[in-house]
Structure formats: C-alpha cells, structure tokens
C-alpha cells in the first residue's frame, strides 16, 4: 500500500523531513503502508534542493518529475502531466501534500482526478490576499482536500467556516518547527562569517523573493535602499533566492551594508537567523522559525496567513513602508522588542501526530 508524499520546493523539503522522520520512528509498529516520495523538480539545484536532502537526512526521492523553471501555468501543467503518468502506472491510496506551493496544488488536483484522497499538511491558513499565487494554491487545495493537518486554531476555525467537518480536521502542530527543533544543535556557522569579520547579534538577515517585492525593478531598488538606510550601517546578510538574484543582476550598485550571498543550506541559514539582531523577510515560513528562535522579525508584506507569528511570536508586518521599517528597527536596536510565546502544539511532535492519525485513517 503506497502513500504518496509530494515535495517540490525548499519549504516542502523542511516539512516532509519531519513526517518521514516520524514514519521511520513508528514504522516498527507495522503500519501496513509505506511512502513513495515524489519530487516535482520545481526547485532543482544544489542550493535550493539537494543540500536540503543531505542536511535533513531525507531519503532520495522515489521519482522526480523534473519540471524545472517556467511560468506558473507551465509548471502546473508539467507537474500534472508527470504525476498523472505516475498514477496511471501505479496508483497510490493517499496523496499527502504540504504547504502552499505550485507543486502542492497541482498534485492535489491530479490525485483527485484518480479518486485518490488528499491530505493537506498546513491546511486551512489564509492571508486573504489573492494577488499571491500561494493563496490561490491554498484555496484550491483545501477545496478538494479530504483530511487537514493544521498548525493553528485559526486554521481550524477557517476550515470550519468553509464548511469542513470536524472529523476531517486534525490539529497537529507545525512540521517546520519539528525540523527546526531536531536540527538546532547541528546549526553550522557559514565559512564567510569570520572571513568577513561579522559579529553575532550585530547583523540583519534579509530574504526577499515575492514577485510583489522583487519583480518591479524601481520598487525593488527603493525597498533595498529603505532597508539599508533603516539598518543604520549594520551589515545586512542577504541570501538571494534565484528569482531575486536574477533581478539583482540589473542593479548596478547595492547599498554598502548589504552583503549579497547565495541561498544558504538549511543548517547555515538557521545559524544566521539564530544569531542575528533581526530578520527582515517576505517569507511566511521564516517568520515561524524566527518566532521559535525568539529573533525579532519584520515581514515586508501587508498581511500574513500565520497571524500567530504576530500575536504570539516575534513577527510584525511592516508592508514596504520605509517609516514603519525604521520605527520598528529602532525598537529592535533598543532591545525593546516583544518576546515570543510558543504557539500551541509547536512542540516538535507534529510529524508523530500525523503518522499516528494516518495509522488510524488507513487501517484496513
Ligand atoms: C516558490 C513558492 C513559494 C515559496 C518559495 C520558496 C510557488 C507559487 N511559490 O516560489 O511559495 O516560498 O518557492 O523558495 O510555488 N529557480 C532556480 N533554481 C531552483 C529553483 C528555482 O534557479 O532550484 C528559479 C526558477 O527558475 C525561477 C525562480 O527561481 O525563475 C522562481 O522559482 P519558482 O519555483 O517559480 O517559485 P519561487 O519564487 O521559488
């Protein structure tokens, strides 16, 4: 009995790592089914994919659909055609998708076309902002999901308000947090850190990849200048996502305090976050990790699908307003930032809960 688990992008690898680790712990209890790991190939190079498999001890994928780069529509269609071929040859009994990326939605639709039930890990979260492809992916995926594994009461309530029944919703916690807590002792200081004479607690980590922030060159330059100016000379370490790096090629000169580096492997990236003065990002997942590491986080967005990172955690939404950035960084520099409380069930056991629930759901 085969259960498909789908992963296509960086944040997916972090999430499935927790589920596969829990599976290997509970496998002895004779579950009667096993996983087939399908990599869609949405992220494909060493920095964005391979290093995650190595560092997080993820088994090699059973299949790789190798969809690579393209427009959203091209990626969706290639993933659906690829997964359809897989299911035609060898159907599974369940398709598990995680997060909100193109691969998540494309595989959920394909599985349902084969009448294969879908389980969505991180189901139910909503930003209300349909200008982001991730929100569309969440809405479409959740509209055809059979079982929801959720990270928060907010997600549970969202699902109930959409008419999802209680017995379809399983509040399990956060798989990204599981992976963070297991790996925290193994974080690695990147080699460039000492070479560039950087100091702990005296730099900012910046990540940006949302089309809204990085695709319009004029806006992107203004945003970078505003961030650099607000940091008052503090070094800003900027591991640039490929989309971002491509756009940066047209910018002749970056502000002096911005240090541009390649996307970092998981253990190096989270070492940088753990020792930073602050994180500035447009990623939802990084705002969760910053909350768990109790590092101040400023999110360059007007909304979030993860309100607990603001209400309980270290995150604050600053949009792309330079004044808000400056004011918030001032509070951080004065060491007056709010301290994080750990959201409910973000305790490192989400993966185990998921496998135990699947054990019951898939019992003959
Ligand atoms: C995707 C997800 C986003 C997630 C992010 C994490 C969607 C809609 N978005 O955005 O939710 O937060 O991943 O990183 O699925 N590229 C490379 N090498 C790679 C992968 C991508 O060069 O290994 C390039 C692609 O060619 C493309 C760009 O990066 O030009 C963007 O990649 P894409 O997969 O389209 O979406 P992301 O912006 O990474």
């Amino acid at each position: 009995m085969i259960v498909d688990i789908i992963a296509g992008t960086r944040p997916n690898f972090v999430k499935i790592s927790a589920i596969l680790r829990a599976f290997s712990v509970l496998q002895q209890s004779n579950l009667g089914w096993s996983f087939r790991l399908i990599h869609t190939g949405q992220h494909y190079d060493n920095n964005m994919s391979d290093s995650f498999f190595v560092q997080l001890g993820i088994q090699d994928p059973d299949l790789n659909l190798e969809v690579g780069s393209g427009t959203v529509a091209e990626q969706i269609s290639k993933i659906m055609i690829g997964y359809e071929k897989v299911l035609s040859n060898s159907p599974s009994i369940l398709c598990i998708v995680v997060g909100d990326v193109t691969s998540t939605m494309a595989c959920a639709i394909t599985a349902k076309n084969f009448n294969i039930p879908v389980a969505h890990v991180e189901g139910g979260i909503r930003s209300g902002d349909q200008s982001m492809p991730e929100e569309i992916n969440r809405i479409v995926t959740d509209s055809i999901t059979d079982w929801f594994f959720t990270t928060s009461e907010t997600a549970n309530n969202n699902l109930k308000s959409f008419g999802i029944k209680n017995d379809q919703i399983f509040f399990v916690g956060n798989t990204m947090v599981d992976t963070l807590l297991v790996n925290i002792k193994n974080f690695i200081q990147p080699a460039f850190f000492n070479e560039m004479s950087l100091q702990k607690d005296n730099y900012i980590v910046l990540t940006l990849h949302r089309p809204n922030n990085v695709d319009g060159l004029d806006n992107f330059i203004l945003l970078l200048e505003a961030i650099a100016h607000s940091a008052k000379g503090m070094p800003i370490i900027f591991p640039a996502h490929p989309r971002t790096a491509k756009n940066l090629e047209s910018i002749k000169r970056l502000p002096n305090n911005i240090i541009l580096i390649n996307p970092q492997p998981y253990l190096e990236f989270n070492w940088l976050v753990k020792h930073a003065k602050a994180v500035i990002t447009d990623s939802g997942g990084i705002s969760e990790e910053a909350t768990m590491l109790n590092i101040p986080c400023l999110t360059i967005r007007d909304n979030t699908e993860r309100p607990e990172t603001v209400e309980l955690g270290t995150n604050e939404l600053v949009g792309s307003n330079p004044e808000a950035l400056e004011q918030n960084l001032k509070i951080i520099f004065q060491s007056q930032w709010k301290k994080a409380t750990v959201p409910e069930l973000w305790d490192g056991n989400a993966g185990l809960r998921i496998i135990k629930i699947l054990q019951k759901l898939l019992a003959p």
Side-chain angles (χ1 to χ4, degrees):
M1 298 229 291
I2 296 294
V3 172
D4 283 337
I5 184 158
I6 310 293
T9 67
R10 268 190 317 196
N12 291 165
F13 309 139
V14 177
K15 289 165 197 166
I16 64 153
S17 154
I19 301 168
L20 294 173
R21 191 173 344 98
F23 179 77
S24 67
V25 171
L26 294 178
Q27 205 172 11
Q28 288 84 346
S29 52
N30 195 13
L31 293 166
W33 47 272
S34 62
F35 277 122
R36 175 168 68 183
L37 171 53
I38 299 185
H39 190 329
T40 64
Q42 184 179 342
H43 285 177
Y44 43 83
D45 54 28
N46 183 54
N47 286 337
M48 302 290 286
S49 174
D50 302 357
S51 72
F52 287 78
F53 279 76
V54 173
Q55 289 197 335
L56 301 180
I58 306 172
Q59 67 204 57
D60 285 342
D62 294 287
L63 293 161
N64 192 322
L65 306 180
E66 295 181 347
V67 299
S69 314
T71 65
V72 173
E74 282 166 347
Q75 285 180 323
I76 293 173
S77 52
K78 284 186 190 166
I79 294 168
M80 289 184 69
I81 292 167
Y83 190 36
E84 185 180 61
K85 280 188 188 141
V86 172
L87 292 179
S88 301
N89 291 331
S90 163
S92 56
I93 55 164
L94 174 68
C95 173
I96 301 183
V97 293
V98 302
D100 55 17
V101 301
T102 302
S103 302
T104 308
M105 179 187 73
C107 288
I109 296 173
T110 310
K112 290 302 277 193
N113 285 341
F114 282 77
N115 289 323
I116 294 168
V118 168
H120 185 196
V121 175
E122 207 186 85
I125 61 177
R126 292 291 186 276
S127 67
D129 178 358
Q130 293 195 9
S131 71
M132 285 174 51
E134 291 80 359
E135 183 72 353
I136 310 292
N137 295 339
R138 292 180 200 117
I139 293 168
V140 174
T141 304
D142 283 350
S143 71
I144 53 175
T145 288
D146 297 274
W147 298 322
F148 300 84
F149 294 110
T150 63
T151 51
S152 66
E153 278 295 359
T154 311
N156 301 339
N157 292 334
N158 287 340
L159 290 169
K160 285 175 203 164
S161 71
F162 304 137
I164 305 297
K165 298 193 193 79
N166 282 338
D167 63 1
Q168 291 176 273
I169 303 171
F170 303 95
F171 180 24
V172 292
N174 190 323
T175 52
M176 247 185 161
V177 170
D178 288 18
T179 302
L180 190 77
L181 296 180
V182 162
N183 287 289
I184 200 164
K185 58 186 179 306
N186 302 324
F187 287 174
I188 299 170
Q189 177 176 322
F192 71 83
F193 196 80
N194 284 341
E195 286 161 19
M196 300 188 81
S197 304
L198 292 159
Q199 287 166 351
K200 288 181 183 174
D201 199 34
N202 194 29
Y203 63 92
I204 291 167
V205 173
L206 172 66
T207 83
L208 294 171
H209 75 283
R210 303 256 169 233
N212 279 355
N213 288 329
V214 305
D215 280 0
L217 202 55
D218 292 345
N219 279 343
F220 188 21
I221 295 171
L222 286 177
L223 178 60
L224 289 176
E225 282 172 353
I227 292 169
H229 173 78
S230 308
K232 308 282 177 229
M234 186 176 275
I236 299 171
I237 303 178
F238 185 14
H241 179 281
R243 168 197 286 285
T244 313
K246 207 166 154 214
N247 295 346
L248 283 170
E249 284 168 12
S250 336
I251 300 181
K252 289 201 183 67
R253 206 171 144 269
L254 283 175
N256 284 338
N257 55 332
I258 294 189
I259 303 168
L260 188 64
I261 57 170
N262 282 328
Q264 293 293 291
Y266 182 83
L267 298 176
E268 281 85 347
F269 179 77
N270 280 293
W271 187 95
L272 288 170
V273 172
K274 182 163 186 268
H275 297 287
K277 186 67 152 182
V279 175
I280 301 177
T281 188
D282 58 9
S283 153
I286 293 172
S287 72
E288 295 181 340
E289 289 165 342
T291 282
M292 291 307 295
L293 297 171
N294 207 5
I295 299 298
C297 180
L298 302 181
T299 293
I300 309 288
R301 287 174 51 191
D302 296 319
N303 48 59
T304 177
E305 60 291 338
R306 295 160 162 92
E308 60 283 357
T309 61
V310 176
E311 287 153 16
L312 301 171
T314 56
N315 188 23
E316 208 56 58
L317 302 177
V318 293
S320 49
N321 173 356
E323 277 163 32
L325 252 174
E326 190 153 354
Q327 279 166 10
N328 281 288
L329 273 177
K330 201 167 155 197
I331 302 172
I332 292 169
F333 291 153
Q334 290 167 341
S335 302
Q336 301 288 317
W337 200 251
K338 57 186 176 180
K339 298 273 176 273
T341 314
V342 176
E344 192 180 354
L345 295 188
W346 289 20
D347 58 1
N349 293 315
L352 284 172
R353 292 190 188 101
I354 289 171
I355 299 295
K356 284 182 182 162
I357 292 163
L358 287 176
Q359 188 173 12
K360 286 189 192 143
L361 292 173
L362 299 176

